[in-house]
Amino acid sequence: MTTLRVFRWSPGAPERWQTYAVEAGADTTVLDALVEVQRRQDPTLAFRYACRVGMCGSCAMVVDGRERWACRTRLADLRSSAISVRPLYHFPLLRDLVVDLTPFAARMAGIGAALVPAAGAEAYAEIPGDSAERREIDTAIECIGCGMCVSACTMVAHNPRFPGPAALNRAFTLQRDRRDAAHDARWEVLMSDDALARCHGQGNCTAVCPMGLDPTTSILRLRRTAVRRLFSW
């Protein structure tokens, strides 16, 4: 048997931790255990999941003090006598382990995270996967928006105007994309007091990214480019 200590909260009720005992095999994941609890012990327990195979990021939560995907985290790999499970940090709480990701989307929009096609720009397939331009952003693409890097970022907690690692990482890929026409407008945001200058470079975002992306390096590279822009004026 494995013991789970699960964070519980609903509107109008105080925060609390609730303990559940679950049967666990060698490959039982945290998500498997939560589903078992919900189906057989406590149908009121709320959490979010979708694919169950490590592709969608919906089951992101904090397990034993670290941001993880519940569907990829095996109970057998955790050493605690009672495994703690709580929602992501720095997001509004909806219920139990479910957070509101609206601020994540707002941060993306604020940084200009959508590509703005330049006039006469080539189609997407015009940049081959093995090209130098594509390799330039290899460690920054394929973010799936799970929010774990934002949860791990201490500056997000300190400064609500800070875009956060996911948004800045996305900005890096767009600023390197010759097909995008919003570089100048995006630089105005990036070089403001609350963006690139506020990252402390702790690397928490990179450490927890389940896709192996490196937002810390993306931010550092944006900073170098920003310095060159300042001295070129």
Side-chain angles (χ1 to χ4, degrees), residues 112-133:
L115 184 140
V116 179
E122 307 95 328
Y124 286 92
E126 291 296 320
I127 299 180
D130 60 351
S131 66
E133 186 175 3

Side-chain angles (χ1 to χ4, degrees), residues 44-210:
T44 69
L45 177 62
F47 53 94
R48 183 183 284 132
Y49 71 99
C51 73
R52 300 188 72 165
V53 292
M55 294 181 65
C56 71
S58 298
C59 65
M61 53 191 70
V62 179
V63 179
D64 267 3
R66 182 185 176 93
E67 287 77 8
R68 311 173 195 260
W69 282 351
C71 69
R72 280 190 177 179
T73 304
R74 297 190 307 172
L75 296 174
D77 294 334
L78 302 171
R79 303 304 178 190
S80 303
S81 57
I83 297 167
S84 66
V85 185
R86 61 152 293 131
L88 295 178
Y89 295 105
H90 313 147
F91 289 98
L93 188 57
L94 295 177
R95 182 185 177 97
D96 295 338
L97 305 175
V98 182
V99 297
D100 183 358
L101 291 172
T102 301
F104 184 92
R107 286 187 167 93
M108 283 289 193
I111 207 73
L115 184 140
V116 179
E122 307 95 328
Y124 286 92
E126 291 296 320
I127 299 180
D130 60 351
S131 66
E133 186 175 3
R134 172 60 175 74
R135 291 196 300 271
E136 175 83 356
I137 60 171
D138 268 347
T139 60
I141 64 168
E142 297 188 10
C143 169
I144 62 171
C146 67
M148 284 169 50
C149 62
V150 174
S151 174
C153 178
T154 57
M155 184 49 61
V156 169
H158 178 72
N159 184 349
R161 297 178 300 279
F162 180 60
L168 291 174
N169 183 75
R170 173 59 176 161
F172 168 73
T173 66
L174 290 172
Q175 295 304 86
R176 291 294 197 276
D177 195 326
R178 56 185 162 80
R179 302 164 301 177
D180 184 82
H183 289 178
D184 289 342
R186 204 172 288 114
W187 274 122
E188 289 187 16
V189 179
L190 292 171
M191 297 175 74
S192 68
D193 291 341
D194 295 310
L196 293 177
R198 289 291 168 259
C199 174
H200 288 180
Q202 294 175 324
N204 295 340
C205 52
T206 297
V208 303
C209 180

